[in-house]
Amino acid sequence: MISKQALFQRLEQLFPSMVQVRRHLHQYPEVSFQEFKTAQTIAKFYEKLNIPTRKNVGGNGLVATIQGGKPGKTIALRADFDALPIQDLKECDYRSKVPGVMHACGHDGHTSTLLHLARAFSECQSELPGTFVFIHQHAEEMNPGGAKAMIEAGCLEGVDAIFGTHLWSLSPLGEIGYRSGAIMACADRFEIEIFGQGGHGAAPHEAKDAIVIGAQVINAFQTIVSRNINPIESAVLSVGSLEAKNAFNVIADHITMSGTARSFSHEVREKIEQDMDLVLKGLTTAFGAQYDYEFIKGYPPVMNDQKMTDLLKESCQDVPNIRATRIEPKMIGEDFAYYLQEVPGSFFFTGAKPNGISYPHHHPRFDFDERAMLYASQTLCSVALDAAEKI
């Protein structure tokens, strides 16, 4: 049976290719549900290695499978490959060549990482324990996401455990951030319209000012988390957009607002949704106005399995140049949550902070230290092999 150290060394040898593939993907990004050429690039990579691959899984998704020559469990590893509708403002030779679209979240790195781990595994297939399923998922960035459709199309059939990682530009290079239980939040959004009665700016008493009503609503929303949610719980309620376009001397008869709510439990999520409606109903009634309200539920919280997370932490001890660190939950969302509702697993963050200025994810100058791809591939390698033999 091949040793982890031999695979780690092989992944080091493949690192230049990881960088090359990542930079190619970075130059030709595609947004969620439109990743046709990206999917073709992934498929061609596996075709050259003669690795059996299912295409068009739940949409643009792909699933490659490597059957080891030794007995063991079936372990899935997942990477996403969609980009964002953001103009790339970086100054580098691999910046996006597609106007208004860029990989601003590291999905190009996730894809290259998984492709090269599959390549390393394929070269020693007869010596591997168990079976390894490489899930390349489309449309992580846009609700309803690609995970649910891929699961419905059978990507988890026969899978005993699943692992995934996110390259994280704000965490130090070499840090593997793990946590059991909730590690990422529900990612919900809301759309609100408030209907008042317009009028002349000089005669507000003859109108029902939708802007003033909206301001009262926004202020009241801030008390939902601070006064209605148990302080032991965590939640966020943010209004991100408010529109009321009128002339300077006109009382607005109509406004729209939208925003996001984040939490780590279904109970808190339901409480926020209900309390927002109560605030809207009470204030619009008091002002003699009306409202429309839609609460759009996004991805559920990402809940890591305790046993699989403990295994991940243990597996990290074998990987050179990394340190496993228990991290606090993040308020971002991820549709990896759907996989964890079906099979046990763990999702972790791989530190990828670049030298110099580190821009956050979804920023037009986002980038990461590409050495993080090597650390991610070695960590996934280690935990996948351990899971195949030990669970």
Side-chain angles (χ1 to χ4, degrees), residues 197-207 209 246-252:
Q197 180 179 317
H200 198 292
H205 62 291
E206 297 176 351
D209 193 334
N246 285 292
F248 77 97
N249 59 350
V250 173
I251 299 291

Side-chain angles (χ1 to χ4, degrees), residues 26-38:
H26 198 86
Q27 291 179 79
Y28 302 98
E30 296 174 300
V31 296
S32 302
F33 298 106
Q34 298 179 33
E35 320 93 328
F36 307 111
K37 292 183 179 179
T38 306

Side-chain angles (χ1 to χ4, degrees), residues 12 19 53 57 62 71 89 105 108 131-132 165 173 180 213 231 276 325 339 366:
E12 288 182 11
V19 172
T53 305
V57 181
L62 302 95
L89 299 182
C105 205
D108 50 343
T131 300
F132 299 93
T165 189
L173 182 69
S180 62
I213 300 168
M276 288 178 67
T325 304
Y339 300 113
F366 170 84

Side-chain angles (χ1 to χ4, degrees), residues 271-317:
K271 176 69 172 171
I272 290 173
E273 180 183 4
Q274 293 168 9
D275 285 0
M276 288 178 67
D277 191 45
L278 288 174
V279 166
L280 285 162
K281 184 179 297 182
L283 285 171
T284 53
T285 298
F287 283 98
Q290 295 180 318
Y291 72 97
D292 282 337
Y293 165 53
E294 185 179 13
F295 191 93
I296 303 100
K297 291 182 178 178
Y299 305 149
V302 178
M303 303 292 292
N304 282 338
D305 179 80
Q306 177 74 60
K307 181 180 177 181
M308 295 302 107
T309 304
D310 289 344
L311 181 64
L312 167 66
K313 180 183 177 183
E314 179 184 338
S315 298
C316 286
Q317 298 176 10

